[in-house]
Amino acid sequence: MRSLYLLLLIVPRFLLAADLERDVRRADMLAGFEEDIAAATAVLDKTPESITALSHRGDAELFLARFPDAVADFEKMIALDPAQDAPHWRLGIAYYFTGAFEKASRQFEKYHNYDGHDRENGIWKFLADARAGGIDNAREKMLVYDRFDREPFPELYEMFAGKRSPSDVLGEIDQKSLGAETSVQFFAHYYIGLYELLMGHRPAALKDLRAAVATFDDARSAGNPGYMWQVARLEAEGLSAAKQ
């Protein structure tokens, strides 16, 4: 009995230490983004037309949830060099987070004309269209793909089309023996979370968004999807804060 009592005292301390370590890593990461912004701004003060500096600063601003600032830098990139427009899916995501859903949809459609087999882009266009005009409207406007995309996006795309459920997607992943693939698990939980959120299932959405972020310890983990992990983190943190 004494051993059990001691275990009950120790476990919360381990959990607290893990939480503290995670918070420290997050604070370091956010401080790094502040440093990136400062460095890019210093470059832009000397060279206002630096596409690279605008791109780096826009990314860091987005990761700090400064979405209008990210939009401004990304749009300036395109104003300086129109060739940046079609491949700029990051601007579509920035538009989405500012609530400019119709602009986001148009940006993702431009990217589709640039890269016509990326279903992840198609999911983002669907999300923007659904926010702008409803789910039925978004399904009528879904982009068409005729080439295989990376896992688990074929199944996820069918889920957003209303042809599969979240459990179907996860079952397909298990059937294909992809459960050990951390990137597959990340994208599955992330987009299932966004799907659940769109359907109004907030507790389920938060559970899956947190599961997606927890797939990797932090942004430096091997195999971390980088940009989209940061976007998933923003979604999970935003929904968690809204729940308070």
Side-chain angles (χ1 to χ4, degrees):
M1 291 295 293
R2 178 176 174 80
S3 297
L4 177 59
Y5 174 73
L6 291 174
L7 180 61
L8 291 173
L9 289 177
I10 293 171
V11 169
R13 293 179 184 176
F14 280 137
L15 294 175
L16 182 61
D19 289 343
L20 180 59
E21 182 181 356
R22 183 176 62 250
D23 290 344
V24 169
R25 288 200 306 265
R26 180 181 181 277
D28 287 345
M29 178 181 67
L30 298 183
F33 295 145
E34 294 283 8
E35 292 172 0
D36 291 343
I37 290 173
T41 300
V43 171
L44 289 164
D45 287 342
K46 297 179 180 178
T47 314
E49 296 186 354
S50 172
I51 299 293
T52 299
L54 287 167
S55 179
H56 289 168
R57 190 171 71 176
D59 287 345
E61 288 162 343
L62 192 143
F63 297 157
L64 289 169
R66 299 173 189 172
F67 305 121
D69 292 338
V71 166
D73 278 341
F74 291 158
E75 286 184 337
K76 189 172 181 180
M77 289 172 61
I78 294 169
L80 291 169
D81 179 9
Q84 300 287 326
D85 193 11
H88 213 319
W89 54 267
R90 294 173 294 150
L91 175 57
I93 290 177
Y95 279 144
Y96 184 88
F97 275 113
T98 62
F101 300 122
E102 292 180 354
K103 284 186 175 181
S105 176
R106 287 195 293 272
Q107 195 65 33
F108 295 129
E109 190 159 6
K110 290 177 187 178
Y111 187 80
H112 181 66
N113 294 329
Y114 176 81
D115 178 357
H117 76 277
D118 186 354
R119 283 173 175 79
E120 186 173 15
N121 178 73
I123 288 173
W124 277 97
K125 181 181 181 300
F126 172 88
L127 290 168
D129 287 336
R131 294 297 185 187
I135 293 172
D136 290 341
N137 168 70
R139 284 179 174 157
E140 290 177 1
K141 295 180 177 180
M142 287 186 81
L143 300 172
V144 177
Y145 296 91
D146 56 12
R147 286 184 288 171
F148 178 78
D149 195 5
R150 66 197 190 280
E151 297 286 2
F153 285 101
E155 291 82 6
L156 286 169
Y157 204 67
E158 289 195 341
M159 178 186 70
F160 282 96
K163 299 176 182 178
R164 290 177 183 254
S165 68
S167 60
D168 290 337
V169 173
L170 294 175
E172 186 76 10
I173 289 172
D174 288 339
Q175 186 176 345
K176 291 181 177 180
S177 300
L178 296 171
E181 299 286 339
T182 51
S183 63
V184 172
Q185 288 291 332
F186 166 79
F187 285 114
H189 283 293
Y190 178 36
Y191 285 106
I192 286 174
L194 293 186
Y195 175 84
E196 295 285 17
L197 185 59
L198 188 63
M199 296 298 168
H201 307 153
R202 295 174 71 86
L206 183 56
K207 180 180 178 181
D208 275 297
L209 290 172
R210 285 174 171 169
V213 175
T215 303
F216 299 94
D217 290 336
D218 61 28
R220 297 164 296 183
S221 302
N224 186 294
Y227 210 98
M228 298 315 299
W229 185 86
Q230 295 290 354
V231 177
R233 174 185 62 80
L234 291 169
E235 294 272 13
E237 292 176 354
L239 187 56
S240 181
K243 187 180 178 183
Q244 303 301 321

